[in-house]
Amino acid sequence: MRVAIVHDWLTVYAGAERVLEQMLNIWPDADLFSVVDFLQESDRHFVKGKRARTTVLQRFPKAATRYRSYLAFMPLAIEQLDLSGYDVVVSSCHAVSKGVITGPDQLHVCYVHSPIRYAWDLQHQYLVESKMNTGLKGWLARAVLHYVRIWDVRTANGVDRFVANSQFIARRVTKAYRRSATVVYPPVDVDAFSLVTEKESFYLTASRLVPYKRIPLIIEAFSRMPDKTLVVIGDGPEFDKARTLATSNVRLLGYQPSDVLRDHMQRARAFVFAAEEDFGITPVEAQACGTPVIAFAKGGALETVRGLGRVASPTGVFFFEQSAEAIAGAVREFEANQSAFDPLACRRNAARFSVRRFLDEFRFLVESAWDEMRTEAGTISSPLAD
């Protein structure tokens, strides 16, 4: 029984790579494929030391740092990966990996982190933020994204089963491809975050400082509440903007190792999250520490946070627009109802997204799909069951 796992690109260890790591724990003998593989040796632990079989883009000029600029070539490149020798192909996709070519006797299961965000509903936001919304460069970018959308829909027909990382992404899959998707939430290592019931007075936000995370917006909100302390952990392109907005009650710590982040999550009064995320791992990690979450009411947060006034045992407060006023209002609502939040309830809610749950659910889904496919082909045995 041969299994191939296809990932978009291997450059860092982030959210999508945590999912890939657990896929490799399910099928440790699987072969790994990717558009490019530029992982440093120190980061290769999560791929079990494997080297991905890559595309021609691996050899393009400055591909290690500029691989995203070759988006127009990625559809053709990914289609050149030869997967004909495999029984089961699992693609881990937020860009192009689902576009690999498979045959009628092969099962292709696609775990969708998101349909290509910058080609679909976030195209206009992406063009503005990347300063490619005007002039000839803007028209060329729009032409590339138009081509990518057409290719993306066509290749959806080659996928046998779609699996989404949230109901939010399942709706995106339906909108973009007119296909249904089963939801299997990503694995969160909740066991790495121990419960702390005694909280301090500061608020915490932590993220890479990129535009859609809206960290400067959170800082602006706290600049209007000088009696409340905000700690910001993370670095990125918007760090200078964040530093400009920060007042004396906002502490910018920059990048910090995981043990420092975990310590702050355990001690924080609440975790503030203003992004529209596909799923969002950090709010779950905060809840695993017993820390409530103040979150923007859109995307995956609506599935991972139990909002005040909506359910028993709430684990957070929602705000309904990405503005400093809305965030400040949610902080005040949180403080007015702080007795309603139980650290134990936060921890129990986070446990719904454990690694073990992902391993069991995703393995079962793929094995069941394989059994069904073989039954339809007239064979009832399941090599995956071994």
Side-chain angles (χ1 to χ4, degrees):
M1 184 68 197
R2 297 199 66 193
V3 178
I5 299 177
V6 189
H7 195 65
D8 287 309
W9 43 73
L10 290 165
T11 56
V12 296
Y13 180 56
E17 288 68 37
R18 297 188 193 194
V19 175
L20 173 63
E21 178 179 24
Q22 299 310 322
M23 289 177 177
L24 289 169
N25 282 333
I26 298 174
W27 299 290
D29 295 327
D31 289 330
L32 181 60
F33 294 80
S34 184
V35 171
V36 295
D37 180 355
F38 290 110
L39 284 175
Q40 300 296 317
E41 288 302 322
S42 59
D43 293 331
R44 304 202 74 86
H45 60 91
F46 77 93
V47 292
K48 315 296 185 277
K50 295 177 184 287
R51 292 275 175 184
R53 302 181 193 183
T54 58
T55 70
V56 67
L57 298 187
Q58 181 82 14
R59 300 187 295 276
F60 272 34
K62 298 183 180 179
T65 55
R66 302 284 304 276
Y67 59 92
R68 285 189 178 88
S69 66
Y70 293 123
L71 176 65
F73 300 98
M74 287 185 185
L76 178 61
I78 201 74
E79 290 176 347
Q80 306 317 305
L81 293 175
D82 183 3
L83 302 177
S84 59
Y86 297 90
D87 302 296
V88 174
V89 175
V90 177
S91 54
S92 166
C93 186
H94 58 78
V96 298
S97 64
K98 76 168 179 46
V100 292
I101 296 173
T102 56
D105 294 325
Q106 294 175 288
L107 174 69
H108 181 181
V109 177
C110 177
Y111 189 92
V112 187
H113 305 282
S114 176
I116 309 176
R117 301 174 187 89
Y118 35 85
W120 290 101
D121 54 311
L122 299 183
Q123 172 190 283
H124 302 292
Q125 176 183 326
Y126 164 75
L127 291 172
V128 170
E129 290 175 352
S130 59
K131 296 181 173 59
M132 291 193 296
N133 58 320
T134 59
L136 179 59
K137 183 169 62 174
W139 279 106
L140 288 174
R142 286 177 169 85
V144 169
L145 295 176
H146 175 71
Y147 155 68
V148 167
R149 278 192 296 276
I150 294 171
W151 176 86
D152 197 32
V153 172
R154 181 192 65 75
T155 56
N157 294 324
V159 175
D160 298 296
R161 295 289 181 90
F162 277 105
V163 184
N165 68 359
S166 65
Q167 296 290 348
F168 177 61
I169 292 304
R171 293 194 296 273
R172 269 189 178 162
V173 168
T174 301
K175 186 74 172 181
Y177 309 141
R178 294 305 173 189
R179 295 280 301 276
S180 62
T182 303
V183 174
V184 175
Y185 289 115
V188 182
D189 190 5
V190 295
D191 293 334
F193 296 82
S194 55
L195 174 68
V196 173
T197 57
E198 296 298 322
K199 303 298 180 181
E200 298 180 18
S201 61
F202 69 91
Y203 292 85
L204 173 69
T205 190
S207 169
R208 180 158 170 74
L209 272 64
V210 292
Y212 85 96
K213 296 287 188 177
R214 300 290 192 265
I215 301 300
L217 197 64
I218 299 173
I219 293 172
E220 182 183 348
F222 275 83
S223 70
R224 303 179 184 187
M225 300 181 288
D227 58 324
K228 307 182 196 311
T229 300
L230 174 69
V231 174
V232 180
I233 293 178
D235 201 354
E238 291 210 314
F239 188 83
D240 289 340
K241 180 179 179 180
R243 183 163 47 196
T244 301
L245 292 169
T247 49
S248 60
N249 61 317
V250 176
R251 294 164 48 205
L252 296 172
L253 303 187
Y255 169 80
Q256 295 295 324
S258 57
D259 58 332
V260 175
L261 172 60
R262 183 166 52 247
D263 174 66
H264 281 79
M265 276 187 171
Q266 290 169 329
R267 295 185 291 113
R269 189 175 187 178
F271 184 84
V272 186
F273 187 74
E276 179 186 333
E277 282 279 19
D278 305 329
F279 174 74
I281 288 177
T282 49
V284 178
E285 293 174 338
Q287 290 173 86
C289 298
T291 301
V293 178
I294 299 171
F296 178 47
K298 199 168 183 181
L302 288 172
E303 300 170 52
T304 61
V305 179
R306 297 169 61 87
L308 179 68
R310 296 184 172 190
V311 294
S313 303
T315 65
V317 170
F318 289 120
F319 54 94
F320 296 89
E321 63 178 36
Q322 290 173 311
S323 68
E325 294 82 2
I327 295 171
V331 170
R332 289 190 290 269
E333 182 181 9
F334 169 78
E335 293 188 352
N337 296 276
Q338 191 160 358
S339 61
F341 301 101
D342 180 1
L344 290 172
C346 293
R347 175 73 184 187
R348 285 194 299 269
N349 187 52
R352 298 191 294 125
F353 307 99
S354 69
V355 171
R356 172 47 55 191
R357 183 265 328 152
F358 173 84
L359 294 174
D360 291 343
E361 290 184 8
F362 193 64
R363 181 199 295 271
F364 177 77
L365 186 148
V366 175
E367 291 182 359
S368 297
W370 174 254
D371 282 339
E372 181 180 325
M373 180 177 176
R374 299 308 294 167
T375 300
E376 291 176 355
T379 305
I380 61 172
S381 61
S382 173
L384 272 177
D386 296 335

